[in-house]
Amino acid sequence: MKSPDLKSHALTAALLLCAPFAHAQQATAPTETATYVPGGRIPQLQGEIAIDGKLDDAAWQNALVQEIAYDIQPGDNTPAPVRTTVRIGYTADAIYFAFHAMDSDPSAIRAHLRDRDAAFNDDWVGVFMDTFNDNRRGYELIVNPLGVQADLLRDEANTNNQEDPSWDGLWESAGQLTAEGYDVEIRVPFSTLRFPRGGGDQKWGLSLFRNYPRDKRHQLTSHKVPRDSNCFQCEWGKYEGMAGAQQGRNLEVVPFLTMGKPQYRDAAGESWKSGDSSIEPGVDVSWAPSPAMTLNATLNPDFSQVETDQLQLDINNSFALFYQEKRPFFLEGADYFTSQFDVLYTRQIADPDFGARITGRTGSGAYGAFVARDASTLVLVPGVQGSGFEQLDQKANVAVGRYRHDFNTHFSVGAIGTFREGDAYSNNVAGLDARWQQGAHTATAQFLHSQSEYPDDIVAAYAGELGNDATPSGNAWRTEYNFSNRNWGFNLQHEDIDPGFRADLGFIGMVGYDKSLVGGEHSWYRDGAAFNKINVYADWDITHRYDGQLLEREFEAQVSVQGPMQSNVRLHGMTRVAYWNGRLFDEHYADINANFRPNGSLQLGAYLQAGTMIDRGADKTGRRTMLEVSGNANIGRGLALDWDIIRQQMKRDGGTAFTATVVNTGGSWQFDPHQRLRLTLQGSEVERNQALYVGTVNETARDWAAQVVYSYKINPRTALYAGASYGAFMDDDNPDLFGNTRSVFLKLSYGWQP
């Protein structure tokens, strides 16, 4: 969020700098909010525009002028509490936007120097673009008052992840604080965007957006958004123009070099052993032969990730943990491959030798495909009540394809296939899916079939629950219906996965079950009140194993409230019958979750849960409590701190069975929009009481790790990273905490556009 420390500017100087903008505003200012309708024809600009955050270029005078006129949240299309004018124009190779964001109290503006995609809590302005005007996929470009960028891809049909920040486009921005608010300029090359081919007029959907965080987080737009709308993108204004938009060569070559030296040791007092030191050069090539198609190829690809994964609490949990993908090759265009089941989890492709990908749009759909050669084969072995990863010491060929056809704006059908093959190993998945949405109604469905072949060690890993068939096959299908209007919501879903179904390139850890769910909710809006929204939700679900055994019957309900200081409080309760290790257990708990922002520089959150839960290591129930505290703090413009601490405890049979703690904390210092220093500290501790377990348990385990990374990024393709890490460990066999891992690394990349 923006810092309140705003430098003063001479009013006269500010007015002089903004003279071209003021002239355009007076000449073509929009009408009053009540009658204002966004949209229009985007004109071609005459003359040069310097992207410096100063709205003083003469070329802005003939731009289309629009206004961010509506408060859509917490307001209900009410007049925006602050004035924001936007100018839009284009040249042969780019589209331009200028935002003049006024504020009655400029000292309250929240603006910080941050890394890319990390300033969402600040004041900011942005433009959202539906370049195919099909209400399916869009670009979201965001800039805070200091020029810090964020960009996302929007997938309107993906209700689980509509906004994906992993995409990094090449575009220019600049911002400056002024005596009456702040100004932002944006230049987006047409080579960064995908849009219909042809030299005639384009027709795009645009949403001009302003984030205005104060006691409430106000979301301001250039168009109305009814509260009963289930398609935000459908409400965007329609704009024409940009005839003759040119993408140029649209070729990008990114050579890179990654160097690292790891060391490790197995016990305290041992000398350090060197791991495989590496000097790995490579190159990525991206080419768009048309505005609607992109080809990517990579040689000796850089599949490293710079920053460590967040540590998760892996205790009293029988299923494998999910970690987000962070590697650039897989992140770009990832939204083309999403479906209702998680049939593609690219971290399963652990160490590829090469990769190639194609993504694109047609007049009635979208497609994507990629191939890779993986130097190792990672398999998520699923089960009914647990899952885990197994490693095969062999190479594997990987191929993935996805296509979606849109019959109209309401109905689409898609197909997906994932294929992986190695020595005496294969896994092939193919299926169809469909989506229909109109008004308050949304219905989705997907059907998949898999055929697999596994070596003996993988068969042994799943034989206990799923049988010892080395060539399993099976189906997976699901269907869901959702109703949602202004105040009411209802959902009904069913899914069924055969015990022989496998999706080794996905993240489906549970198979051999069927599950049904029914739920509903109601929302109350209290416009103008301190607590402005109340929501009540409840659902009931039941799950059976493939042989009819009841696995779970659950009822849960919650009430959530939005209030002052951007606060959100949720009370939740759950009761269920759960099957574990041959028995049915009764579980129930209650929890409360709260977070708020007492000011623009601090966010605080807490979660507390207590109830009766299964201790899966002992096949007994006990009183489990869990407390999580989290938050972040901004110190000045560039320094930020964050923390997340979780503590879990299980009490039963007159004692404490286990206590577990996980800490994730860190800080960053953003020197300027390009340079950043990041320190991450992580640690965990698990203590178990051997007297309360029949089998042998590790009574004490503790580990911690630190990582420091310096980055200098000219843009997302041209960057330098240098860092080091250190880790320590102890358990019953190593009772003294000792350093067991350390490493240094350097990563360089250069984006070249011939």
Side-chain angles (χ1 to χ4, degrees):
M1 297 190 175
K2 296 192 178 181
S3 166
D5 115 316
L6 175 68
K7 296 180 179 178
S8 61
H9 295 268
L11 180 59
T12 303
L15 292 173
L16 288 173
L17 287 174
C18 296
F21 179 72
H23 180 273
Q25 181 177 319
Q26 291 166 7
T28 57
T31 57
E32 294 299 319
T33 301
T35 58
Y36 171 58
V37 178
R41 186 168 188 82
I42 299 174
Q44 186 164 8
L45 300 174
Q46 305 300 318
E48 297 295 323
I49 290 180
I51 303 300
D52 54 12
K54 301 175 182 178
L55 310 181
D56 56 356
D57 297 291
W60 284 121
Q61 293 188 27
N62 70 323
L64 174 67
V65 180
Q66 297 285 276
E67 184 157 335
I68 297 179
Y70 303 103
D71 185 340
I72 63 169
Q73 188 177 320
D76 186 11
N77 299 310
T78 54
V82 286
R83 183 85 185 272
T84 315
T85 12
V86 187
R87 290 174 290 169
I88 313 173
Y90 80 100
T91 62
D93 61 353
I95 185 169
Y96 290 76
F97 301 89
F99 292 80
H100 184 51
M102 289 169 273
D103 200 305
S104 58
D105 182 10
S107 66
I109 292 174
R110 303 176 182 184
H112 300 93
L113 290 171
R114 288 291 175 266
D115 197 16
R116 190 186 190 93
D117 295 336
F120 295 112
N121 291 322
D122 278 0
D123 280 71
W124 51 258
V125 292
V127 55
F128 302 170
M129 294 179 282
D130 179 0
T131 55
F132 282 82
N133 194 35
D134 61 1
N135 303 325
R136 299 286 183 177
R137 186 175 189 262
Y139 300 91
E140 300 184 2
L141 309 183
I142 290 166
V143 182
N144 85 347
L146 302 181
V148 176
Q149 294 184 353
D151 45 16
L152 309 92
L153 286 179
R154 181 176 187 83
D155 183 355
E156 191 68 39
N158 184 3
T159 54
N160 294 323
N161 184 26
Q162 283 190 328
E163 296 178 308
D164 181 5
S166 62
W167 175 73
D168 288 322
L170 293 179
W171 48 287
E172 297 176 65
S173 66
Q176 68 165 356
L177 294 162
T178 70
E180 57 182 4
Y182 64 95
D183 294 332
V184 164
E185 288 183 305
I186 297 174
R187 177 184 180 271
V188 188
F190 288 126
S191 58
T192 296
L193 307 174
R194 301 294 170 259
F195 49 85
R197 41 184 134 182
D201 276 356
Q202 297 284 324
K203 185 175 182 179
W204 294 2
L206 295 182
S207 175
L208 307 171
F209 203 104
R210 180 174 177 180
N211 188 54
Y212 182 65
R214 298 299 183 266
D215 185 58
K216 303 284 196 301
R217 183 195 170 208
H218 294 267
Q219 299 181 46
L220 315 179
T221 60
S222 56
H223 52 87
K224 293 182 178 181
V225 180
R227 280 181 175 162
D228 60 357
S229 175
N230 287 310
C231 177
F232 174 56
Q233 205 160 325
C234 300
E235 312 299 336
W236 298 0
K238 304 303 179 184
Y239 295 79
E240 296 181 343
M242 297 164 288
Q246 299 174 7
Q247 286 197 313
R249 289 192 180 96
N250 209 9
L251 175 65
E252 184 175 79
V253 181
V254 183
F256 49 81
L257 179 67
T258 303
M259 295 176 283
K261 184 175 180 60
Q263 292 185 324
Y264 66 95
R265 56 183 179 181
D266 297 322
E270 290 186 359
S271 59
W272 288 94
K273 304 171 186 177
S274 292
D276 294 331
S277 299
S278 62
I279 301 177
E280 296 288 342
V283 62
D284 289 335
V285 179
S286 176
W287 176 49
S290 78
M293 177 190 294
T294 303
L295 302 172
N296 299 87
T298 182
L299 179 65
N300 195 21
D302 172 23
F303 286 95
S304 63
Q305 64 183 59
V306 172
E307 294 188 4
T308 185
D309 292 309
Q310 177 157 318
L311 198 60
Q312 298 186 51
L313 190 60
D314 189 14
I315 185 171
N316 207 35
N317 177 36
S318 60
F319 286 94
L321 298 177
F322 180 92
Y323 287 93
Q324 293 291 337
E325 177 64 85
K326 295 183 179 180
R327 298 170 296 176
F329 178 84
F330 288 125
L331 289 175
E332 187 174 348
D335 61 306
Y336 281 92
F337 300 94
T338 58
S339 74
Q340 296 159 43
F341 279 113
D342 291 329
V343 294
L344 181 61
Y345 175 55
T346 50
R347 286 185 71 139
Q348 300 284 60
I349 307 171
D351 186 21
D353 295 323
F354 69 83
R357 179 180 60 238
I358 180 173
T359 55
R361 302 286 295 270
T362 66
S364 59
Y367 58 89
F370 73 81
V371 295
R373 172 74 165 173
D374 200 356
S376 62
T377 303
L378 185 65
V379 178
L380 174 59
V381 180
V384 180
Q385 295 212 278
S387 63
F389 290 102
E390 298 287 338
Q391 188 83 38
L392 295 178
D393 187 18
Q394 60 171 271
K395 292 182 178 289
N397 295 316
V398 172
V400 177
R402 172 76 165 141
Y403 177 73
R404 188 196 76 233
H405 180 77
D406 302 327
F407 288 91
N408 50 48
T409 57
H410 304 294
F411 181 60
S412 61
V413 172
I416 192 168
T418 67
F419 310 93
R420 183 159 70 167
E421 185 172 352
D423 296 330
Y425 163 76
S426 67
N427 174 249
N428 302 309
V429 179
L432 299 172
D433 57 274
R435 181 180 187 270
W436 172 80
Q437 190 275 322
Q438 189 164 11
H441 309 278
T442 303
T444 60
Q446 184 168 24
F447 175 84
L448 299 168
H449 178 75
S450 75
Q451 294 183 327
S452 308
E453 178 185 2
Y454 294 108
D456 291 343
D457 48 351
I458 298 296
V459 175
Y462 64 71
E465 279 194 309
L466 302 173
N468 58 2
D469 185 358
T471 58
S473 64
N475 302 322
W477 65 274
R478 74 185 307 275
T479 184
E480 182 172 1
Y481 167 76
N482 285 280
F483 172 87
S484 177
N485 63 17
R486 177 185 176 90
N487 299 104
W488 292 95
F490 173 78
N491 61 307
L492 181 67
Q493 67 181 58
H494 180 83
E495 63 184 38
D496 191 314
I497 302 182
D498 290 345
F501 180 81
R502 303 288 188 275
D504 291 356
L505 284 173
F507 197 89
I508 299 179
M510 185 175 179
V511 300
Y513 73 95
D514 64 81
K515 178 179 180 178
S516 299
L517 179 146
V518 58
E521 64 179 332
H522 183 76
S523 296
W524 291 267
Y525 296 93
R526 306 173 69 244
D527 295 339
F531 293 93
N532 57 292
K533 182 180 178 181
I534 302 171
N535 175 269
V536 175
Y537 173 83
D539 70 44
W540 179 88
D541 64 76
I542 188 167
T543 306
H544 291 92
R545 196 168 59 186
Y546 59 90
D547 60 359
Q549 170 64 52
L550 176 67
L551 294 177
E552 180 182 273
R553 184 172 59 244
E554 176 185 286
F555 174 78
E556 62 180 333
Q558 68 178 43
V559 56
S560 59
V561 180
Q562 293 180 7
M565 292 188 287
Q566 298 185 44
S567 60
N568 189 291
V569 179
R570 187 196 68 179
L571 292 170
H572 171 263
M574 183 276 298
T575 181
R576 68 183 169 203
V577 176
Y579 180 84
W580 174 252
N581 222 9
R583 292 175 55 196
L584 288 169
F585 295 87
D586 290 320
E587 291 186 307
H588 53 267
Y589 67 81
D591 59 86
I592 180 171
N593 186 23
N595 61 80
F596 70 105
R597 289 187 171 275
N599 55 55
S601 298
L602 181 64
Q603 181 177 18
L604 300 173
Y607 175 79
L608 176 63
Q609 182 193 94
T612 300
M613 303 290 288
I614 303 171
D615 182 351
R616 297 179 187 275
D619 300 341
K620 294 183 176 182
T621 58
R623 175 82 174 173
R624 193 191 74 171
T625 58
M626 183 166 64
L627 173 66
E628 178 178 9
V629 292
S630 60
N632 58 74
N634 301 305
I635 303 173
R637 292 286 190 210
L639 190 61
L641 304 175
D642 58 87
W643 59 91
D644 186 12
I645 303 168
I646 304 174
R647 184 172 177 84
Q648 186 179 138
Q649 189 175 77
M650 173 71 75
K651 291 187 175 183
R652 57 175 175 80
D653 300 327
T656 300
F658 68 78
T659 301
T661 305
V662 168
V663 176
N664 287 280
T665 186
S668 62
W669 186 6
Q670 192 82 32
F671 306 111
D672 56 45
H674 303 291
Q675 297 185 83
R676 179 185 187 228
L677 186 66
R678 170 72 179 171
L679 173 66
T680 302
L681 300 174
Q682 299 178 327
S684 71
E685 181 182 70
V686 178
E687 295 180 332
R688 291 184 183 271
N689 185 347
Q690 179 64 71
L692 297 179
Y693 291 92
V694 175
T696 302
V697 297
N698 199 23
E699 292 192 77
T700 303
R702 186 181 302 124
D703 64 75
W704 70 267
Q707 182 195 58
V708 60
V709 179
Y710 167 79
S711 60
Y712 183 85
K713 292 189 280 189
I714 297 176
N715 59 48
R717 311 290 190 271
T718 301
L720 176 149
Y721 300 92
S725 65
Y726 188 89
F729 170 78
M730 65 85 66
D731 62 8
D732 291 352
D733 296 327
N734 298 276
D736 296 321
L737 188 71
F738 71 98
N740 65 328
T741 63
R742 63 187 185 185
S743 65
V744 294
F745 65 88
L746 177 69
K747 179 177 176 181
L748 302 164
S749 64
Y750 176 72
W752 176 52
Q753 294 180 316

